[in-house]
Amino acid sequence: MNVKKYPTMKIFFVFLFCPFFAGLIIGPISLIVMLVGLFSDARLLGQVRGGEAFSVLLTAPLFAELVFFVPSLVFACCISFVKPVRSFKVCRNVSICGAVVASLWMFLSDCYLLRNSAGYSFMDSMLPASIAFFGGALITGLLSYWSLPKYSPD
């Protein structure tokens, strides 16, 4: 009987660095949004240097990992403990769980950081939480599809 060992460490580190991979996608998007904003108003062109604008490509993944380190650590520990194998249902459930964890963490941190702001409303935290939900669902779904091992009946 051939017993294959489950790649626990690989799965743990893939889901631990899930926010970093999300930052790799968010960095170029935010750079494009920033450049469109700069080029739409000619007065702003002299305000930002090229190095400052392109530094978002490096800082977005690092900042995303820094902000979401605690929930990604807990999520990676849970996934490594459960040891799921790849199927559509498993990838869907991992994607939904990752989305809920990301949006809950974003909602709580946003509420905590903005609670003393003038004119802050509870609904102001819904947009960042919904962006984190869809981004978390996309990234954890793709990473679960690519990294989880296939089920082998032998």
Side-chain angles (χ1 to χ4, degrees):
M1 180 174 166
N2 187 7
V3 177
K4 290 185 178 180
K5 188 175 180 187
Y6 189 82
T8 305
M9 293 305 289
K10 173 189 151 191
I11 299 300
F12 175 78
F13 283 114
V14 163
F15 285 101
L16 180 66
F17 291 116
C18 190
F20 185 82
F21 298 132
L24 289 175
I25 295 171
I26 292 171
I29 292 172
S30 62
L31 177 67
I32 291 170
V33 169
M34 183 173 45
L35 290 177
V36 166
L38 285 174
F39 288 124
S40 65
D41 189 4
R43 293 177 293 156
L44 296 176
L45 284 177
Q47 300 295 322
V48 178
R49 298 177 193 271
E52 294 170 352
F54 285 100
S55 69
V56 74
L57 297 174
L58 177 66
T59 58
L62 296 175
F63 188 69
E65 185 64 39
L66 179 70
V67 169
F68 288 97
F69 181 75
V70 172
S72 66
L73 178 67
V74 172
F75 189 67
C77 288
C78 291
I79 293 292
S80 297
F81 180 71
V82 172
K83 297 182 180 178
V85 292
R86 181 174 44 183
S87 69
F88 176 74
K89 286 172 41 174
V90 168
C91 290
R92 181 192 63 207
N93 291 341
V94 168
S95 176
I96 290 170
C97 289
V100 168
V101 167
S103 63
L104 182 66
W105 186 261
M106 178 59 85
F107 181 77
L108 292 176
S109 61
D110 197 41
C111 283
Y112 178 74
L113 293 174
L114 297 176
R115 70 184 186 281
N116 294 329
S117 298
Y120 173 71
S121 172
F122 182 75
M123 294 302 290
D124 292 342
S125 297
M126 288 300 165
L127 180 63
S130 62
I131 291 171
F133 182 85
F134 291 115
L138 177 70
I139 295 298
T140 55
L142 289 174
L143 288 178
S144 65
Y145 178 75
W146 285 328
S147 65
L148 292 178
K150 290 182 183 178
Y151 174 73
S152 61
D154 56 16

